[in-house]
Amino acid sequence: MADEKNLFDIEIICPDRVFHTGRAYMVEFNTTEGEIGVYKNHVPITTVLSPGVVTITDGNDQKTVAAVHSGFASVLQDKVTLLAEIAEWPDEIDVQRAEAAKQRAEKRLSEHAEDLDVLRAEVALKKALVRLDIKK
């Protein structure tokens, strides 16, 4: 169990709701530069989120996971705020819909159409993979 003095505040905020607020011992999430793990007193940074799994470890070493799709992260010494385009708990994810989105994105990328927005298809694929991964 983590000492209370090692906990920090965490918020995950989406355009349509405050997704999560609480206290954490550590939080892990994906940025455009790679995965990051944050403890209390981390050097302050602002970074861009990329689609991925957020893992929140509380003071009792219990882990909570969520899917987060794009946005920004603000890390202060005693608070982490994720401003996410979309955030989803595992029980909010429709596996059939995510599998269909994965197949559509893979098909688009494999066809190499001239008018294909490759970045958009890659992001759609990544979001679908994150959703499927978090349901495991």
Side-chain angles (χ1 to χ4, degrees):
M1 183 169 165
D3 190 340
E4 180 68 26
K5 68 180 180 186
N6 292 325
L7 300 179
F8 58 89
D9 293 323
I10 179 163
E11 283 187 314
I12 303 174
I13 301 170
C14 301
D16 62 339
R17 64 181 168 162
V18 175
F19 179 76
H20 174 77
T21 60
R23 305 273 291 155
Y25 174 67
M26 181 175 72
V27 63
E28 301 167 273
F29 54 90
N30 292 333
T31 74
T32 54
E33 302 299 315
E35 190 171 350
I36 183 173
V38 176
Y39 292 97
K40 186 171 184 172
N41 296 321
H42 191 284
V43 64
I45 61 168
T46 300
T47 188
V48 178
L49 294 172
S50 67
V53 175
V54 172
T55 304
I56 302 165
T57 304
D58 69 15
N60 297 315
D61 287 333
Q62 297 295 313
K63 295 183 187 289
T64 303
V65 296
V68 173
H69 307 288
S70 305
F72 297 93
S74 168
V75 177
L76 302 174
Q77 290 186 338
D78 60 352
K79 184 175 184 179
V80 173
T81 304
L82 305 181
L83 300 173
E85 174 187 322
I86 300 169
E88 302 166 297
W89 296 116
D91 63 353
E92 295 175 326
I93 294 172
D94 181 335
V95 174
Q96 291 177 329
R97 185 174 173 204
E99 186 62 45
K102 174 184 172 254
Q103 291 173 4
R104 279 192 311 273
E106 288 174 335
K107 183 179 179 192
R108 284 186 197 124
L109 289 167
S110 68
E111 291 175 348
H112 303 291
E114 285 183 34
D115 62 340
L116 175 68
D117 184 341
V118 175
L119 181 59
R120 183 175 179 203
E122 288 174 342
V123 169
L125 178 59
K126 178 67 176 170
K127 286 180 179 181
L129 291 173
V130 167
R131 287 179 170 124
L132 293 170
D133 182 43
I134 202 167
K135 285 298 283 188
K136 289 182 185 176

